[in-house]
Amino acid sequence: MQMRKKGEWLEITIPHNWVGYSIESVLKNELHVPKKLLHQIRMSKGAKQNGKEVPWSTALQQGDKLQVLLFQLEELGVITTYMDIEVLYEDDHVLVVNKPAGMNVHPNEEGQTNTLANGVAYHYQSQGQEVKVRHIHRLDQDTTGAVVFAKHPLAVAIMDRLLEQRSIKRTYLALVHGKLKQKKGVINERIGKDRHHPSRRRVSPTGQEAVTNYEVLNYMSKNDLSLVKVQLDTGRTHQIRVHLSHLGHPLYGDSMYGSKVKGSHQALHAAKVTFPHPISEEVIECVAPFIDEQDLFPGSVQDYL
């Protein structure tokens, strides 16, 4: 399927398998536009056939150009801060960047700068993109690796749905203390807030469902450390840190959850993210190289995926 951005419009050349579909059917069932956004597009006359306003019941023919108003100019929403962000993937709809340690994904208070979102705002501005900064998921301040941003409301709505459906797959690499009993396993323990600590989480029968899959890649007897590959079925706050600590194997450098080592940050890296593209549905796979973990993880990310 051919599609391209033309100013504020997404132009789609109708493929043979969409012949006879109405404009409304394409928007609802092929592009998965949610109800609220569908209403906005209707009100702004934001769908055209070959550049003309026609009824949404109009049947489309092969080679027709369907234009959809998707890329309206927006405020960035955060202060721009100059930083060198590492872009792993970018097109008109999605941006994936590699987050360093010691940085929040987004501001937690008005006027805050030096978060990843501030750097993304600078990146958009320097590329001449008037796009609101919207993250699809978060990483802890001291966790490094791939973070996904969406560039327009439709991409946001679809990516949020994919996240809910667990179609966005994230693979992490963690360095933990000790030797795990099992080479592979699933940790299925609910996670809730810790009453005694405002930001800490703990395994709790009344908490939210949390499922973590792990596989031990390497045990380093010299340091009594294990390198573990982790995939999440759910995305709870501090999930990997809580679950591995619960097993008796806290992350190296994670003093909040039991590590006695005073590292600069916990050894946790979001190494890979895979997702169906929100518009084309093509599978996108992004691998995030280690940024500042060379002293923690031996080798490169590719060695472990």
Side-chain angles (χ1 to χ4, degrees), residues 100-267:
M103 181 183 283
N104 287 318
V105 168
H106 60 89
N108 292 313
E109 54 195 46
E110 207 174 323
Q112 189 177 345
T113 57
N114 296 315
T115 73
L116 188 63
N118 300 111
V120 167
Y122 177 83
H123 171 75
Y124 286 160
Q125 193 178 64
S126 65
Q127 304 280 321
Q129 301 177 48
E130 294 185 53
V131 175
K132 187 174 179 182
V133 179
R134 303 173 175 94
H135 62 278
I136 295 302
H137 63 101
R138 290 178 293 187
L139 295 176
D140 290 348
Q141 182 176 349
D142 286 329
T143 301
T144 57
V147 179
V148 181
F149 291 80
K151 291 191 177 183
H152 54 76
L154 178 56
V156 173
I158 292 171
M159 294 297 280
D160 283 346
R161 181 170 52 80
L162 292 173
L163 197 63
E164 212 172 279
Q165 294 170 346
R166 301 175 185 177
S167 300
I168 298 177
K169 305 291 184 191
R170 289 175 282 166
T171 304
Y172 294 78
L173 294 171
L175 206 55
V176 304
H177 291 283
K179 186 176 185 179
L180 283 78
K181 288 177 185 155
Q182 291 175 269
K183 176 95 174 153
K184 282 184 176 182
V186 179
I187 309 166
N188 190 344
E189 297 282 356
R190 290 175 172 271
I191 291 175
K193 290 187 175 180
D194 188 329
R195 290 197 311 274
H196 308 293
H197 195 293
S199 53
R200 201 178 134 106
R201 299 292 189 273
R202 66 184 183 90
V203 164
S204 163
T206 58
Q208 294 176 298
E209 181 199 9
V211 181
T212 301
N213 305 278
Y214 70 88
E215 178 188 355
V216 179
L217 301 178
N218 191 11
Y219 172 64
M220 292 156 275
S221 54
K222 182 181 167 192
N223 308 315
D224 191 29
L225 294 171
S226 295
L227 179 64
V228 183
K229 183 161 78 171
V230 181
Q231 287 186 308
L232 301 181
D233 283 356
T234 52
R236 306 300 172 211
T237 301
H238 297 181
Q239 181 172 324
I240 295 171
R241 298 164 67 189
V242 172
H243 271 172
L244 289 169
S245 175
H246 180 71
L247 279 194
H249 301 282
L251 267 64
Y252 181 87
D254 191 1
S255 56
M256 183 181 278
Y257 291 104
S259 174
K260 300 291 187 277
V261 175
K262 287 213 175 347
S264 57
H265 61 90
Q266 76 257 5

Side-chain angles (χ1 to χ4, degrees), residues 18 25 30 37 50 64 68 74 77 80 89 130-131 145 171 174 185 194 234 236 239 253 261 277 286 294-295 303:
W18 288 8
S25 170
E30 306 306 319
L37 186 55
N50 300 322
D64 274 355
V68 185
E74 300 175 292
T80 59
Y89 175 85
E130 294 185 53
V131 175
T171 304
D194 188 329
T234 52
R236 306 300 172 211
Q239 181 172 324
V261 175
H277 190 278
C286 300
Q294 275 85 354
D295 52 332
D303 297 337

Side-chain angles (χ1 to χ4, degrees), residues 4-5 10 71 90-94 129 151-152 277:
R4 59 180 178 151
K5 181 178 183 231
L10 174 69
F71 305 102
E90 183 172 22
D91 63 13
D92 293 326
H93 312 279
V94 179
Q129 301 177 48
K151 291 191 177 183
H152 54 76
H277 190 278

